[in-house]
Amino acid sequence: MASVRRYPIPHSRLPFINAEVARVSFQGADHLVSSIWGGSSGGRIYFWNPDSGSKGFRVLPDGIPGAYMLRTAADGCLYLGCGNGDLIRYDPFADRFEILVTGELKSITWGGCVTDRYAVWEASPGDVGVYDWRESRLVKVFRPIDTEYPTALYGHSVVEAPDGRVLLAIDVPQARFVMLNLDTMTAESHTPANIRGVGSTTDAFFWDDETLAAFVGGELHFMAYPGFEFMQRIPRTGRGSPGGKACVVDGRLYAHNAADNALHVLDREAEKWEVAAPGWSDGEPVTLHPWGDADVCGVTLSGVALRYDTRAGRTDRIDLESSGPMTAHALCPVPDRKIIVGAPFINQRFWVVDMETGDGEDCGRAAGRSTRSSGSRSPGGFCRAATRRPV
């Protein structure tokens, strides 16, 4: 009988992808927190303090591959919408997780928000749950939330509006704004002319009580609220366009541009973006969040936490060391070299296993990245196995 050989999956960088950044207490001090997608090996949330350099992580409950929604409520707890549709809560004071709702939403949570009473989370295919965190009960599930047809599927941006309603920027195959009234538990969809025919919006937020801003097709649009009347368009930059999860610091809007790897700041009067920090991300997408009165923070796909001091013009970096086993969705044995090459899901990396010794190594990202002028090796760079055995 032929024997079966088993090889352990080598640890590789786990991806911080499509996740939010929130602020929460951890071990008695304020930290930022984001999450990785671990798949079948399990998700995690990572904490870091940009001032002290303190960092740590917690493993999500069994069966939860990751958490895309992270929002802190007035009770100080972190509410997470998960990759299996569950809603869970992390209590930083007791340092434990609690599963609040399971089995109601059955696919990946894409976004959500927390109000002074409710946690709202959206999962494929356009379903939304409303949980009363004060009374510890599920209030309602919308299947789907979109009241127009064809229904939109993914709510990447969910935010509480100034009038107490919740706005869901939901998209694919059609971008829409869905307004959820938490008093009546009813929803109404809107497709203003400036987003009609657009497949998606990458972020939506309130500039002030009467102005909604959204990234639409690579441009930033300002609209009057609550009527969604179009007000102003900020065009693309010369190379690519800022977008994704933006943030406001000291009254100015900052966004990352994946095309030039720079952090940009908006000059709204001049209707253009200006480069605040060139080469900020080393070629990876970044999710942003403010810290204090003057700092723009974020985390890259490979788990490098960034801080840009808007007043001093200085960038600091913290490596969150987010590594672990991640199953491959593609395998390629190379018998003449006695290796097996694996490509994990989502994180755009490869790993190599030596078929003779069973040793494995992370070979870095397949996607392109910029090179630091200092010549220092950026986290997630190609490993020795990739250069020793070109494949």
Side-chain angles (χ1 to χ4, degrees), residues 207 247-254 265 290-296 310-311:
W207 183 261
C247 73
V248 176
V249 172
D250 197 21
R252 308 186 76 192
L253 179 66
Y254 290 83
V265 61
W291 178 262
D293 296 328
D295 292 343
V296 179
T310 63
R311 295 171 184 172

Side-chain angles (χ1 to χ4, degrees), residues 87-156:
L87 179 71
I88 65 175
R89 174 167 57 202
Y90 174 72
D91 184 338
F93 311 106
D95 194 18
R96 65 181 178 87
F97 290 98
E98 179 184 1
I99 298 176
L100 304 176
V101 180
T102 185
E104 292 288 342
L105 277 64
K106 302 182 185 302
S107 189
I108 295 176
T109 299
W110 296 107
C113 74
V114 176
T115 72
D116 62 355
R117 180 169 183 173
Y118 298 106
V120 179
W121 76 111
E122 188 278 343
S124 303
D127 297 342
V128 169
V130 181
Y131 179 83
D132 187 329
W133 59 265
R134 290 191 181 275
E135 296 187 359
S136 300
R137 65 184 181 93
L138 178 67
V139 177
K140 187 168 182 176
V141 176
F142 294 83
R143 311 182 195 276
I145 189 75
D146 191 356
T147 59
E148 296 184 9
Y149 184 84
T151 57
L153 305 177
Y154 307 109
H156 291 286

